[in-house]
Amino acid sequence: MTRPQIAPRGEEKLYFSALADGNLTYGFCLACSTSHFYPRTLCPNCHSDDIESRVGSGRGTIYSFTTQYRAGNPALEDQVPYTIVMVDLEEGYRMMADLVGSEPEAISIGLPVVAEIEHPDNEHPVVHFRMEVSHGR
Amino acid sequence: MADKSVAIVGAAQIDTFKTTDRSPVGLAALAAKRAVEEAGLQMSDIDAVFSSSSYYAMPTLTMAEYLGLSPNVVDSTSTGGCSFVQHLGHAVAMINQGLCEVALIVYGSTQRTDAGKLVSMAEQSVYEQQYGLIHPVGAFGMIAHRHMKEFGTTSEQLAQYAVSAREWALLNPEAPYPTPLTVDEVLSSGIVASPLHKLDCCLVTDGAGAIVVTSGARARSLKQKPVWVLGTGEAQNHRNISQMPDFTSTRASVSAKRAFEQAGVGIADIDTAHVYDAFTISLLILMEDLGFCAKGEGGSFVENGRLAPGGELSLNPNGGGLSFSHPGMLSMFLMIEAVAQLRGTAGARQHDGAKLSLVHGMGMTLASHATAILGNEEPS
Ligand SMILES: [Zn+2]
């Protein structure tokens, strides 16, 4: 699968190299004990730079979603329709990714999902979510 | 007390559906010329240029060079579609600071000619780019699903706003589609990003617009009856949709509160409203946050033709982004319609005796907000 190509820099690169090792990371502020995503050099809550990169469980629930019947990028034209989800992770942060393995009718807000990491050859790794209870299988 | 009044004295729009043989800056230049001329001013009177663009990274340099101007101050604040209402607030401040006297706010786009693709040079987050979320409709699909989940809003209700906007557009000879629309047509127009259909989305058009803003002292002697800027406010809270704290409420409430307080008026005083309708759902949430209805009640608020001609509120009487024009960034055209209503020159869609108008622009995915209260009676 070919994805839109990205060019991460600095702390962005650290996130993708952690993914390449199989770890979905998020930022955790040691000063105020809150989580954030995407990972930052500074806590967006208290502005401390005492940030720890933590590995998350990848488990969460769907905050919202959309199924697109057009591709948002030419590289994804053969994937249409595909679903993008906003997920509230159990560690207290929210992230966006796509949802794989479910028919659009089976998707709704509040359902549990779990992250998986795909690492295509010669590309950046990519996070997908999958419904924890599979439907129609 | 010093006279702090500022007014819009010129406004013009051009080729609001399709242009030919004009570049974005070329089209914008013609809108600028018309706005300056109808104000009874010369291009050489302009000493401040405000612009934002999806084409030009340094739009005030591009515009000023093309127009042959050497402004004293410029502002290219770019927060998406609401930029021009922000520019208006900044122009008021700059004029009152004595940094400039006659400000030109100008925009042009040839997005329809550019094969109907949304032109954007805005970068995407590396954390989100891989997923092919269509900007901005994919994000608005997620916003709509969340509003439906929390408040029971339906696709039929969203479609009703599109139908009302088309009814208004039928009164506007410049609107491109002179046929009525039904709820069924919206619902059968094909889903782009669930739950939003093609006809829940704004048009993709060309178009340029310009407004000229000056001090009250100067405005009183000019050709047009001044449209007074009574209050402005702005607010913002995210860049990427994943960072929007709550998908069903926005900081439009903050920008509107600031504008209303400055103007010393309330929402019940508003005669015409010009609210950013890039999508049916964006309009509905903004109506809640601006205070036209309670949070969560947007769905029932848009029902029963309440927002259609002859309804309770003259909302987007030119047909709005859904049925008149949406050349990438809409807020310029919201202001121009408010000026027409306050001058009483809006023809068949004129709100009789309109005295006060609210303009609300939003940018990106309900990320940035700017509100202006305009009126045709001189502030005391
Ligand atoms: Zn912190």
Side-chain angles (χ1 to χ4, degrees):
Chain A
M1 185 194 302
T2 304
R3 293 255 148 200
Q5 294 305 298
I6 55 171
R9 303 180 182 94
E11 75 277 7
E12 302 163 351
K13 268 189 178 167
L14 299 180
Y15 168 78
F16 284 95
S17 52
L19 278 186
D21 293 336
N23 295 321
L24 172 60
T25 54
Y26 64 98
F28 184 81
C29 175
L30 295 170
C32 73
S33 297
T34 62
S35 305
H36 62 264
F37 190 89
Y38 46 93
R40 290 160 160 97
T41 57
L42 190 75
C43 171
N45 181 51
C46 77
H47 314 119
S48 165
D49 61 358
D50 200 3
I51 304 294
E52 189 172 84
S53 175
R54 292 194 171 177
V55 178
S57 65
R59 308 175 84 84
T61 56
I62 298 176
Y63 175 74
S64 198
F65 70 98
T66 187
T67 302
Q68 292 185 171
Y69 291 80
R70 299 179 191 171
N73 187 289
L76 296 168
E77 252 149 36
D78 61 346
Q79 308 281 318
V80 168
Y82 58 85
T83 297
I84 297 173
V85 284
M86 204 61 77
V87 174
D88 284 336
L89 281 297
E90 60 184 26
E91 292 85 3
Y93 66 94
R94 181 179 294 164
M95 71 176 285
M96 190 183 101
D98 54 4
L99 182 78
V100 296
S102 294
E103 293 304 315
E105 309 77 59
I107 303 164
S108 64
I109 289 173
L111 290 179
V113 292
V114 63
E116 60 186 41
I117 300 168
E118 182 196 10
H119 195 181
D121 290 341
N122 305 315
E123 287 185 28
H124 285 96
V126 56
V127 177
H128 308 291
F129 283 98
R130 194 179 284 276
M131 294 240 223
E132 279 216 279
V133 183
S134 66
H135 292 256
R137 235 187 239 177
Chain B
M1 200 176 98
D3 180 5
K4 292 277 187 190
S5 62
V6 170
I8 298 171
V9 294
Q13 57 194 7
I14 182 171
D15 292 356
T16 50
F17 186 65
K18 187 82 172 76
T19 192
T20 43
D21 297 337
R22 307 284 182 224
S23 68
V25 64
L27 196 57
L30 294 176
K33 178 180 165 64
R34 288 190 189 184
V36 168
E37 281 179 356
E38 74 137 35
L41 289 163
Q42 307 290 320
M43 208 50 105
S44 55
D45 292 315
I46 301 296
D47 58 6
V49 173
F50 294 69
S51 193
S52 181
S53 176
S54 303
Y55 297 86
Y56 310 116
M58 297 170 214
T60 56
L61 288 179
T62 304
M63 280 307 313
E65 176 188 282
Y66 197 101
L67 291 167
L69 296 177
S70 304
N72 295 339
V73 285
V74 297
D75 178 358
S76 50
T77 295
S78 290
T79 53
C82 73
S83 301
F84 311 105
V85 181
Q86 277 183 294
H87 292 162
L88 178 67
H90 300 177
V92 169
M94 287 189 192
I95 289 166
N96 281 326
Q97 281 293 312
L99 297 175
C100 59
E101 190 185 15
V102 182
L104 171 70
I105 309 175
V106 61
Y107 174 65
S109 166
T110 58
Q111 193 166 277
R112 188 171 190 86
T113 299
D114 303 332
K117 295 254 189 251
L118 180 73
V119 175
S120 176
M121 59 187 175
E123 79 294 343
Q124 277 187 293
S125 158
V126 293
Y127 303 102
E128 301 184 2
Q129 198 175 346
Q130 293 170 311
Y131 302 109
L133 185 73
I134 310 172
H135 175 76
V137 66
F140 278 100
M142 287 196 264
I143 287 166
H145 266 148
R146 192 71 206 177
H147 202 275
M148 290 174 166
K149 171 77 175 176
E150 287 189 23
F151 305 116
T153 310
T154 66
S155 289
E156 288 75 12
Q157 289 173 327
L158 294 179
Q160 294 222 9
Y161 173 69
V163 169
S164 296
R166 181 62 62 87
E167 283 187 45
W168 278 112
L170 297 178
L171 302 175
N172 179 359
E174 291 178 63
Y177 299 111
T179 49
L181 194 62
T182 66
V183 166
D184 282 347
E185 283 175 291
V186 178
L187 298 182
S188 60
S189 61
I191 290 185
V192 180
S194 69
L196 298 178
H197 308 81
K198 181 169 184 279
L199 292 176
D200 284 301
C201 306
C202 62
L203 304 173
V204 176
T205 70
D206 296 340
I211 67 172
V212 179
V213 184
T214 191
S215 64
R218 184 91 179 249
R220 287 180 200 99
S221 67
L222 291 174
K223 212 157 118 188
Q224 306 289 337
K225 189 172 186 312
V227 169
W228 301 95
V229 184
L230 305 176
T232 61
E234 59 184 89
Q236 64 178 67
N237 64 351
H238 61 280
R239 167 68 177 81
N240 298 295
I241 183 63
S242 66
Q243 307 298 310
M244 184 173 180
D246 172 354
F247 279 19
T248 62
S249 81
T250 76
R251 285 171 64 81
S253 53
V254 176
S255 66
K257 183 166 183 281
R258 289 175 182 157
F260 275 123
E261 280 176 4
Q262 208 177 88
V265 301
I267 199 145
D269 302 318
I270 296 299
D271 297 310
T272 73
H274 309 268
V275 179
Y276 209 106
D277 58 339
F279 299 92
T280 51
I281 185 64
S282 69
L283 183 282
L284 190 146
I285 290 176
L286 291 174
M287 294 306 279
E288 295 173 349
D289 290 340
L290 292 168
F292 286 104
C293 62
K295 179 49 69 187
E297 290 176 6
S300 52
F301 183 69
V302 303
E303 286 183 311
N304 303 319
R306 188 177 274 124
L307 303 177
E312 286 175 21
L313 177 70
S314 292
L315 172 67
N316 295 333
N318 60 359
L322 287 177
S323 268
F324 168 53
S325 180
H326 193 303
M329 292 196 259
L330 181 64
S331 71
M332 171 64 74
F333 305 88
L334 301 175
M335 291 193 289
I336 291 170
E337 175 66 6
V339 168
Q341 292 287 337
L342 292 169
R343 286 178 179 170
T345 57
R349 63 184 191 277
Q350 177 65 45
H351 180 104
D352 282 339
K355 286 192 175 67
L356 270 182
S357 298
L358 174 145
V359 176
H360 183 82
M362 68 92 192
M364 304 304 288
T365 52
L366 298 172
S368 49
H369 299 273
T371 313
I373 309 295
L374 308 177
N376 56 15
E377 290 179 353
E378 187 161 349
S380 48

